[in-house]
Amino acid sequence: MPLMVEGKHMGVPPASMGEFMERFPHYKENSQKYLEQKCRSIVPIGLLYVGQREMAATTPDDEMIQMMGTEDATTCHMAILRHTGSGAVCLCHFDSCGTETGCKKMLGLVKELSKDKLPGSEERMELHLFGGFRDDNGTSESLSIKLLTAFNNLPEEIHLQTACITDINNTKKGSTNFPVIYGIVIHLNSGEIQKATFLDRGPDQPIRSARHFTGSEAIINIYDHKKGVLSIGPFNYSTMDEIDLLCRLPDQFIREHLSTSPEQEPAHFEDAVRAALVQIRDHPKPLQTVFKEGKPRQYKLEANGAWTRCN
C-alpha cells in the first residue's frame, strides 16, 4: 500500500523535494514545532543510542529503555516508525546505503513487536522523517526521495506524519546552507519526539563507526528486544591503504575529504573519524580480534545509564 498523507494515498512518489513541497505543503508548516524547539541535551539513563547505518526497535514495556535517539545527521536521514496501538518504535539512521532493505526491516520489527496487540480502528503505523539539508551535491534530496519511494512501496499502510527533511530542515548562515536538526530523541511512553544532542552514545563507538567506513553497506539491528541486550556484530570491515598515515592526518584534511558535508559537520567529527581509523589500524581482522569466536559483543543497560558487557 502507498504512504498515506492526511488519510489519502500519496500516489506516485515525488521526483524532487520541490515537487514534494508543492504537492504536500502542510509538512513544512507541521515541521515548525520541531525546527523551533530548543535542542535538548540527553543524559544516558534509559537511552538507547542508534548510530549511522544502524536501527533498533522496542516497546514502552522495555524495563530499561525509555528513549531512543540518534544524531550527527547532515545529509543522513533519521526515521521513526511507530505503531500507535502497541507503542512499538523502530529508529533508523539512514545514509545512502541499504535504503529499501532498511525500510522493510523497520516495518518487520514494528509488526513483530505489535503482533499481540488486538487491532483497533484507531491504531496505525506512523512515520516521522528528519534530516538532510540543501547541500550542493543534492545528496540529501536524493536520500529523501529514495526513502519516500521505499516506504511507499511497502505492503502496509504507513501514515507519513512528519517530513522535516532536506529543504524543510534547511537554514542559511551567511550564504551557506546548514541543517537545523542534527539529532532526535523519541520517548517511548508518550511517543514525543524532540530535537536532541547526546552526552553519551553507548559502547563500542569506534568499532561501529569503522563498519560504515569500509564494511558492509547493510543497515544492522543493534538491539535484541527479547533479551534487552545491545548486540554489536559480528561483522567484518576492510583495512585501508596507508592506514598509518590516515590516522595521523590533520583535522582539516579529515573534515574536507572524509565527509559529504565538511562545513556542516559537528565539532567532534574529526575525533570520531580518527577513532574509527585507529580501530581499523589496530584491528585489521575484527572477526579474529574483536568478535572472538565469531560472537557479538553484548551489553546490558544499567540503571545509571552505563552499559555493562554481558558475554
Side-chain angles (χ1 to χ4, degrees):
M1 297 291 288
L3 274 177
M4 305 295 289
V5 176
E6 295 189 312
K8 298 178 181 179
H9 293 162
M10 171 182 277
V12 177
S16 67
M17 278 302 298
E19 180 188 340
F20 176 79
M21 292 189 294
E22 183 177 346
R23 287 170 57 187
F24 312 114
H26 67 282
Y27 284 113
K28 183 174 182 179
E29 180 181 347
N30 293 352
S31 294
Q32 292 306 309
K33 64 181 179 181
Y34 299 111
L35 296 169
E36 295 171 1
Q37 278 181 359
K38 183 179 179 181
C39 187
R40 288 197 58 192
S41 185
I42 304 298
V43 298
I45 297 172
L47 171 69
L48 175 57
Y49 183 87
V50 176
Q52 184 175 336
R53 217 176 291 174
E54 295 178 348
M55 68 171 63
T58 192
T59 72
D61 295 330
D62 195 302
E63 293 184 357
M64 297 307 300
I65 305 300
Q66 288 92 49
M67 301 174 286
M68 292 197 293
T70 188
E71 70 170 329
D72 290 352
T74 53
T75 57
C76 288
H77 285 37
M78 303 164 285
I80 292 172
L81 186 62
R82 182 174 183 267
H83 187 276
T84 60
S86 66
V89 170
C90 184
L91 171 64
C92 184
H93 187 129
F94 287 95
D95 54 21
S96 59
C97 299
T99 306
E100 288 187 19
T101 303
C103 294
K104 290 177 183 176
K105 284 183 178 179
M106 289 185 75
L107 177 59
L109 285 167
V110 175
K111 286 179 68 176
E112 179 187 348
L113 288 167
S114 305
K115 64 185 179 183
D116 296 328
K117 184 70 178 179
L118 293 175
S121 60
E122 301 301 318
E123 297 175 4
R124 63 187 196 176
M125 294 277 192
E126 293 186 345
L127 176 65
H128 304 266
L129 298 175
F130 297 87
F133 70 106
R134 202 178 295 135
D135 63 281
D136 293 339
N137 296 322
T139 304
S140 299
E141 181 178 38
S142 175
L143 183 52
S144 290
I145 301 306
K146 283 173 67 176
L147 282 170
L148 291 169
T149 301
F151 279 111
N152 196 54
N153 289 336
L154 294 178
E156 300 280 334
E157 280 192 355
I158 296 175
H159 295 257
L160 182 61
Q161 295 297 103
T162 308
C164 187
I165 49 178
T166 305
D167 296 57
I168 297 173
N169 191 43
N170 192 79
T171 190
K172 276 188 175 289
K173 297 179 182 179
S175 60
T176 305
N177 293 314
F178 284 82
V180 178
I181 296 174
Y182 282 81
I184 54 172
V185 65
I186 179 166
H187 300 264
L188 297 180
N189 281 329
S190 65
E192 181 184 7
I193 301 168
Q194 296 174 310
K195 185 195 304 185
T197 188
F198 301 89
L199 300 179
D200 184 86
R201 302 179 180 206
D204 289 342
Q205 283 298 318
I207 300 172
R208 294 157 71 178
S209 296
R211 188 183 70 89
H212 63 75
F213 266 101
T214 65
S216 167
E217 293 187 351
I219 299 171
I220 59 172
N221 177 18
I222 62 168
Y223 189 66
D224 185 334
H225 59 269
K226 294 178 181 177
K227 298 179 180 178
V229 169
L230 176 66
S231 188
I232 306 302
F235 51 74
N236 202 9
Y237 50 71
S238 303
T239 189
M240 305 167 74
D241 293 336
E242 305 293 342
I243 185 65
D244 286 327
L245 174 62
L246 291 172
C247 290
R248 299 195 301 270
L249 288 173
D251 286 354
Q252 183 177 356
F253 186 96
I254 288 177
R255 180 170 288 266
E256 289 181 0
H257 296 279
L258 297 179
S259 170
T260 58
S261 48
E263 290 186 82
Q264 291 79 14
E265 294 290 359
H268 58 260
F269 174 76
E270 293 87 348
D271 288 342
V273 170
R274 190 173 287 108
L277 293 173
V278 169
Q279 172 71 32
I280 294 169
R281 181 197 66 190
D282 293 349
H283 296 276
K285 297 180 179 180
L287 292 177
Q288 296 179 17
T289 62
V290 178
F291 305 109
K292 296 179 180 179
E293 300 180 357
K295 295 180 180 179
R297 295 168 64 89
Q298 296 183 326
Y299 298 85
K300 282 269 192 180
L301 183 62
E302 304 294 343
N304 64 359
W307 291 92
T308 301
R309 184 80 183 269
C310 59
N311 72 331

